[in-house]
């Protein structure tokens, strides 16, 4: 099997490459060489995917059995279209890492693969779309929907779309799980969002990578929601963070109304918390039937802490700084809730 990975040096792309190498595949990577070293044994090609000249040079290294695109998250549709047009005759199929944000109903409604998508043309630039007053839909979602359209135009039924919700695990650059791990390690009174038994569906980066490789090899087609089919309760999640870090913390549960009253930013200040009913109602049955296997979330938590303790250094990314409530704000809320510091 000969594949091309767009990206390939950090987080999901790095795991895709590692998994492909373990399978004995011939792996070409294409990136600018700024986010990490290339894996030994790969055939790296340096270039910018927004450059037609660089893409033409890359195409000269084909053909490939599949392209796995892990690097389009911050690109407008027109740049995705540029790459697919340059590579359509050099690749038998295209596995595209998309997002549940492409759905018009996310995060309000339960989602299946046949749920309505946001509308965005395949040649849109970075100005297309908008973010709603309540944070949905998102400009990001419009852009990613346009990216899917671009892939469809070039590859048709030779395209596979993976739509993850939240991806966690070793190498995470967004900072969601690392923040919770750091907070658990610090211990003390920990502000957490009720209800404790609400289930969340984060999926491990290694499991997403394995599923992407399976789809590249097995000739999959169409779209798949990639979310943990069992998930974990929020109580189980935070308790697992305490267990992994050895933190001695006391969980203080605050209702959504209390957190909103204190202007806690959903999704970022308490990572993974959002009040919208559909955010963790993503049906992944189709992906499971196609072979998606998700390890327990507790394993992802433990392995991420082990990576951080082994001097894990995520790629610098501006989203990291957006995650986590400050100790001062957390303390102010806990005091307002009447929680005894010494209790």
């Amino acid at each position: 099997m000969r594949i091309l990975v767009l990206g390939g040096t950090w987080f999901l792309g790095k795991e895709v490459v590692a998994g492909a190498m373990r399978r004995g595949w011939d792996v070409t990577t294409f990136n600018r060489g700024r986010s990490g070293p290339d894996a030994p044994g790969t055939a790296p090609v340096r270039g910018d995917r927004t450059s037609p000249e660089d893409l033409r040079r890359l195409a000269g290294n084909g053909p490939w059995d599949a392209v796995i695109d892990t690097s389009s998250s911050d690109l407008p549709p027109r740049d995705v279209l540029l790459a697919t047009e340059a590579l359509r005759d050099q690749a038998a199929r295209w596995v595209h890492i998309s997002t549940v944000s492409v759905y018009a109903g996310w995060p309000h409604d339960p989602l299946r693969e046949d749920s309505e998508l946001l509308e965005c043309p395949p040649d849109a630039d970075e100005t297309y779309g908008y973010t709603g007053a309540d944070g949905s839909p998102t400009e990001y979602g419009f852009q990613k929907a346009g990216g899917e359209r671009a892939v469809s135009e070039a590859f048709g039924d030779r395209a596979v779309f993976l739509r993850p919700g939240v991806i966690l695990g070793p190498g995470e650059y967004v900072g969601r799980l690392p923040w919770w791990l750091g907070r658990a390690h610090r211990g003390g009174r920990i502000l957490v969002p009720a209800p404790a038994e609400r289930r969340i569906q984060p999926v491990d980066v290694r499991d997403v990578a394995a599923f992407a490789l399976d789809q590249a090899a097995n000739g999959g087609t169409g779209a798949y929601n990639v979310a943990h089919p069992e998930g974990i309760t929020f109580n189980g999640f935070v308790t697992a963070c305490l267990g992994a870090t050895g933190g001695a913390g006391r969980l203080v549960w605050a209702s959504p109304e209390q957190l909103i009253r204190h202007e806690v930013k959903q999704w970022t200040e308490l990572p993974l918390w959002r009040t919208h009913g559909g955010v963790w109602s993503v049906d992944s049955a189709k992906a499971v039937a196609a072979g998606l296997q998700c390890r327990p979330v507790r394993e992802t938590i433990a392995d991420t802490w082990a990576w951080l303790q082994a001097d894990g250094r995520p790629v610098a990314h501006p989203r990291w700084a957006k995650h986590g409530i400050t100790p001062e704000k957390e303390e102010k809320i806990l005091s307002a809730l009447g929680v005894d510091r010494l209790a």
Side-chain angles (χ1 to χ4, degrees):
M1 185 82 179
R2 187 165 194 259
I3 68 168
L4 167 64
V5 179
L6 300 182
T9 59
W10 58 305
F11 201 41
L12 179 57
K14 184 177 180 180
E15 290 296 337
V16 167
V17 168
M21 298 294 287
R22 286 193 295 270
R23 298 182 189 207
W25 294 3
D26 183 336
V27 181
T28 303
T29 58
F30 179 66
N31 55 64
R32 294 174 296 177
R34 299 177 183 177
S35 299
D38 298 290
T42 61
V45 178
R46 289 283 180 264
D48 187 332
R49 61 177 293 168
T50 67
S51 164
E53 180 180 346
D54 287 357
L55 288 169
R56 283 192 294 270
R57 179 167 49 82
L58 171 64
N61 291 269
W64 297 277
D65 297 302
V67 173
I68 301 180
D69 186 0
T70 69
S71 68
S72 66
S73 62
D74 296 325
L75 294 178
R78 67 178 181 185
D79 287 335
V80 177
L81 184 64
L82 187 68
T84 58
E85 290 177 337
L87 299 171
R88 96 168 88 201
D89 295 330
Q90 295 298 322
R93 65 189 319 92
W94 186 286
V95 179
H96 192 71
I97 308 302
S98 187
T99 170
V100 294
S101 295
V102 298
Y103 291 111
W106 191 88
H108 300 280
D109 304 325
L111 298 176
R112 293 163 42 95
E113 284 82 1
D114 58 1
S115 298
E116 181 185 357
L117 301 180
L118 295 169
E119 288 290 334
C120 179
D123 58 351
D125 65 18
E126 62 278 0
T127 66
Y128 191 92
Y130 64 92
T131 296
D134 70 342
S136 64
T138 63
E139 182 178 296
Y140 172 72
F142 281 104
Q143 295 275 314
K144 292 294 283 184
E148 286 196 13
R149 285 277 305 279
V151 175
S152 290
E153 288 209 348
F155 281 84
D157 61 6
R158 296 184 293 139
V160 183
F161 302 100
L162 306 190
R163 296 171 180 159
V166 171
I167 304 176
L168 303 179
E172 185 198 334
Y173 64 92
V174 175
R176 296 183 177 109
L177 178 51
W179 184 83
W180 277 112
L181 286 165
R183 182 63 193 89
H185 182 61
R186 195 167 81 241
R189 303 176 304 166
I190 302 174
L191 181 68
V192 284
E197 297 309 309
R198 185 177 190 188
R199 302 195 77 82
I200 60 177
Q201 297 177 279
V203 63
D204 192 290
V205 61
R206 295 162 292 186
D207 299 332
V208 180
F211 187 62
L213 293 168
D214 289 344
Q215 293 308 302
N218 299 337
T221 190
Y224 296 91
N225 292 335
V226 184
H228 203 293
E230 290 87 30
I232 189 171
T233 65
F234 222 106
N235 182 60
F237 175 83
V238 182
T239 300
C241 289
L242 286 167
T245 63
R250 173 195 170 196
L251 305 186
V252 179
W253 297 93
S255 70
E257 293 77 15
Q258 290 170 322
L259 295 174
I260 291 170
R261 189 182 311 129
H262 289 282
E263 300 182 339
V264 176
K265 295 177 183 176
Q266 297 191 42
W267 209 233
T268 54
E269 284 195 301
L270 290 179
L272 308 180
W273 168 65
R274 198 164 186 172
T275 57
H276 303 79
V279 67
W280 298 116
S281 296
V282 180
D283 186 347
S284 59
K286 181 183 175 184
V288 171
L292 173 66
Q293 297 183 18
C294 293
R295 70 198 68 205
V297 179
R298 288 179 176 82
E299 184 178 327
T300 302
I301 291 169
D303 290 351
T304 302
W305 180 247
W307 165 70
L308 289 168
Q309 291 302 102
D311 201 26
R313 295 179 182 272
V315 171
H317 196 281
R319 293 179 71 185
W320 186 281
K322 297 179 181 178
H323 288 85
I325 193 168
T326 65
E328 296 77 16
K329 184 171 182 177
E330 181 183 23
E331 180 63 33
K332 181 179 179 180
I333 295 171
L334 289 168
S335 297
L337 294 175
V339 180
D340 187 344
R341 182 189 298 269
L342 300 178

